[in-house]
Amino acid sequence: MNRDGPDVLDGDDDSRRAGASASNDARDTGTDPYEVPPDATAFACPRCGRPFARERHRDLHLGADHRDLDDDERAAYEDAREAETDDLRRFRIVSLGTLVLLYFGFLLLYAVAA
Amino acid sequence: MDRHSRRARVARRATPFALATLALVASAARVAAHAGGVRGATRETVTVPTWLFLATGGAVVGASFLLASAVTDRAYIRRIDGWGRELPDAGRVARLLARAVGLAALAITVVAGLFGPTTATDSAAVLIVWVGWWAVFVLSAYLLGNAWPAVDPFRAIAGALPSLDRPYPDRLGSWPAVAGLLALVYLEVVTPMADDPRLLTALVLGYLGVSVAGSVVFGVDDWFGRADPVSKLLAAYGRVAPVALTDDGLRLRLPGMGLTDAAWIGGRDDVGFVVAVVFVTTYDGFVGTGAWADTARPLVEAGVPALAVYLAAMLVGYGLFLALYLASARAARRTADTYLAPGVLARRFAPSLLAIAAGYHLAHNLATALSLSPTLAVVLSSPLSPPANVPALLVPDWIGAVGIAAVLAGHLLAVWVAHAVAYDLFPDRLQAIRSQYGVTLAMVAYTMASLWIVSRPGGAPPFV
């Protein structure tokens, strides 16, 4: 199965949540909810056709919004999930550091200025 | 799955901790707010410079974004969003009563405004519109629920008339409501509408005329659902409220959680309306500040009509607000690396701004609502010849601090709503966090601007 190209298949999906809400948004205006730049690569969801800029986003979307994944898709989902968790951990450390800086920064500012 | 549920537990345990940290940061802000409010007092107080006060407000919003982003459990976020209880229906009697109250209030406003006393604090018309409606009723629309469709006397009168039922032009969308809202606030600022009962009544009758005409041409539902600025304003505020009217009857939800649903935002016109709601309260506060007087004075002295200066400030300000918001939504496309159209992002994140508008409205109107409610009650007892001495509640100073806390609370709610929306839109949780960078920056900017205005001594708009 070609999972790298922009393959848009017919959508016999059970897309709820993320995918569904995005396509619902277009119903009033009748426009496409997605805008892919002409020279960009898109990773389309094989079930609902939603285009993603990164493979990881597509894999996570498959796992979160569609049931009955095949083995390849499930493995890709697990990998993506792992990478996502790692990145989240990194983000948490940075954000904790920022909070500490903010807190002590303001403590100092109040000591000096007030 | 195991890991997933463990994360849910951690998230649940982390939330009280996060809130405690937030309270700590917020308490620093409250000290600042207090200092801002008593700057003129002779008592010896710690005075915090304005820049530090504003920076603290901005930092609270930024920090709350970082804290909200620590909650990464999708199921938990959805559960908070979806929590709700059915409420018993209000019933036919309550609806008839609401209609009667609305019609009676309109009748008293018109009669007392045309034939009653001409001083503002004695006039039932001024008190009903500015205290009963603009302060108390609008407050109830976002703190409890929007009862305007049941109360609305303009709709009741317009609905009793036959209609031509011409199709409402789709391309107009909500823009007439945007123009109407801006026009109402412009008139409120540049005319002595808050002091002159005759003028106010003329405006109320004019508004009734426009509503009836619009409804007769386009039909009651199309007019009041799409073009009427007042109905749309209260409907928008009602989205913040815990009680909502759904297809299955009244429903209780957590405050602000109606804002994660953007199905009612049809297009850019509705985004424009939401931004207008945020903008008009800011504009109303801004033209009372000394900074505005200093900016406008050279222009007015150079011979530019004051009305034109005010109009230009309104249009430029609204344009800036709209541009800032649309730019922040467009930025989400880059920071989140997504192919969702910019319009979709702008529509989904727009309702979160209403929490900010509600906080700001509360900050501006709570003192009025409290101090003049007894006045309203006494004047209503005999609208045409009120007693010589009407009472007013003496509002304690700390109500000002409640106002500042409301501005911050509105922003914190907005940050959480944006967080929940981002999780609904994006499959990758880091992508969801990144998508909020632009909107968070816009919110920080709004907070600092709002706090700056709230911390200024308010006054009447100059030159008009």
Side-chain angles (χ1 to χ4, degrees):
Chain A
M1 179 166 194
N2 170 25
R3 303 187 354 95
D4 291 322
D7 45 354
V8 179
L9 303 185
D10 61 318
D12 61 327
D13 63 274
D14 57 337
S15 70
R16 295 156 291 135
R17 303 202 294 276
S21 59
S23 49
N24 278 346
D25 289 327
R27 84 205 174 297
D28 287 330
T29 48
T31 52
D32 190 357
Y34 308 112
E35 238 180 68
V36 183
D39 53 343
T41 10
F43 301 94
C45 169
R47 312 292 163 92
C48 65
R50 177 175 170 182
F52 293 95
R54 293 190 198 168
E55 199 174 359
R56 184 172 117 188
H57 299 165
R58 196 261 320 267
D59 292 342
L60 284 168
H61 155 79
L62 267 170
D65 294 334
H66 300 289
R67 271 180 246 125
D68 60 41
L69 304 188
D70 63 30
D71 290 344
D72 281 356
E73 288 168 340
R74 185 161 300 284
Y77 171 65
E78 298 293 343
D79 287 351
R81 181 108 186 148
E82 212 125 292
E84 183 201 30
T85 310
D86 286 349
D87 279 355
L88 271 179
R89 192 173 302 133
R90 215 164 299 132
F91 176 82
R92 280 218 186 97
I93 293 168
V94 172
S95 76
L96 190 67
T98 314
L99 280 173
V100 168
L101 274 180
L102 263 180
Y103 181 77
F104 284 102
F106 271 90
L107 209 62
L108 261 171
L109 277 178
Y110 271 88
V112 173
Chain B
M1 273 305 111
D2 186 0
R3 198 167 36 161
H4 189 68
S5 63
R6 196 168 64 231
R7 196 170 299 119
R9 270 203 310 280
V10 171
R12 267 195 298 281
R13 247 180 265 135
T15 309
F17 168 73
L19 288 178
T21 317
L22 199 62
L24 203 69
V25 185
S27 68
R30 225 171 290 135
V31 171
H34 183 68
V38 296
R39 196 170 297 121
T42 48
R43 272 174 303 160
E44 198 178 328
T45 48
V46 180
T47 307
V48 176
T50 307
W51 64 265
L52 186 52
F53 169 55
L54 300 185
T56 309
V60 169
V61 176
S64 63
F65 159 69
L66 290 177
L67 288 170
S69 66
V71 183
T72 54
D73 180 6
R74 280 182 186 279
Y76 180 65
I77 293 169
R78 259 203 312 281
R79 214 165 43 246
I80 288 188
D81 192 18
W83 185 90
R85 296 276 181 279
E86 300 291 327
L87 290 176
D89 190 68
R92 206 178 138 70
V93 179
R95 269 196 290 277
L96 284 174
L97 199 69
R99 180 119 299 176
V101 168
L103 286 169
L106 179 62
I108 296 174
T109 304
V110 171
V111 172
L114 292 180
F115 309 109
T118 50
T119 46
T121 45
D122 289 337
S123 167
V126 169
L127 290 169
I128 286 176
V129 172
W130 293 117
V131 180
W133 181 74
W134 178 243
V136 177
F137 190 83
V138 173
L139 207 105
S140 78
Y142 54 79
L143 290 184
L144 292 172
N146 174 27
W148 187 242
V151 176
D152 192 352
F154 304 98
R155 188 175 186 146
I157 293 171
L161 299 170
S163 170
L164 300 172
D165 275 327
R166 299 280 288 277
Y168 183 81
D170 271 330
R171 66 197 161 79
L172 285 183
S174 298
W175 292 118
V178 174
L181 184 63
L182 294 178
L184 284 176
V185 173
Y186 177 73
L187 285 177
E188 185 259 315
V189 167
V190 300
T191 64
M193 209 189 287
D195 303 316
D196 184 345
R198 304 280 189 267
L199 188 67
L200 180 65
T201 311
L203 180 87
V204 169
L205 289 174
Y207 173 74
L208 175 65
V210 171
S211 301
V212 166
S215 157
V216 163
V217 175
F218 298 116
V220 125
D221 288 333
D222 270 351
W223 180 260
F224 286 94
R226 304 183 68 180
D228 178 46
V230 172
S231 302
K232 281 192 77 87
L233 176 73
L234 282 152
Y237 273 137
R239 300 264 162 195
V240 185
V243 178
L245 185 64
T246 63
D247 293 339
D248 317 320
L250 286 181
R251 205 174 154 75
L252 184 72
R253 64 193 173 201
L254 292 175
M257 290 307 115
L259 301 174
T260 55
D261 168 24
W264 56 286
I265 302 267
R268 189 174 272 207
D269 53 330
D270 287 320
V271 174
F273 187 79
V274 168
V275 173
V277 173
V278 178
F279 170 70
V280 288
T281 32
T282 314
Y283 178 78
D284 193 22
F286 174 67
V287 293
T289 63
W292 164 246
D294 294 342
T295 316
R297 186 168 300 116
L299 289 168
V300 174
E301 279 169 1
V304 184
L307 293 183
V309 178
Y310 273 84
L311 183 63
M314 169 165 263
L315 295 178
V316 169
Y318 176 64
L320 278 178
F321 265 54
L322 192 58
L324 174 64
Y325 176 69
L326 290 177
S328 77
R330 254 197 317 278
R333 224 171 106 86
R334 267 196 317 279
T335 56
D337 208 0
T338 177
Y339 290 147
L340 279 176
V344 172
L345 293 166
R347 287 205 292 283
R348 285 304 303 264
F349 284 111
S352 65
L353 298 178
L354 290 170
I356 295 173
Y360 201 58
H361 180 274
L362 188 92
H364 264 283
N365 294 286
L366 184 62
T368 314
L370 290 175
S371 71
L372 292 180
S373 287
T375 321
L376 174 65
V378 168
V379 169
L380 274 185
S381 65
S382 74
L384 288 179
S385 56
N389 281 321
V390 286
L393 198 71
L394 208 58
V395 179
D397 280 348
W398 53 264
I399 290 293
V402 173
I404 306 253
V407 170
L408 283 176
H411 280 88
L412 300 189
L413 194 56
V415 164
W416 179 263
V417 169
H419 187 63
V421 166
Y423 265 60
D424 190 41
L425 279 177
F426 300 107
D428 189 315
R429 289 175 290 171
L430 205 73
Q431 190 189 18
I433 291 170
R434 290 204 174 121
S435 72
Q436 299 168 62
Y437 287 172
V439 178
T440 305
L441 269 183
M443 284 177 186
V444 168
Y446 284 155
T447 318
M448 294 174 69
S450 316
L451 285 179
W452 178 75
I453 291 169
V454 172
S455 71
R456 299 287 95 186
F463 315 119
V464 284

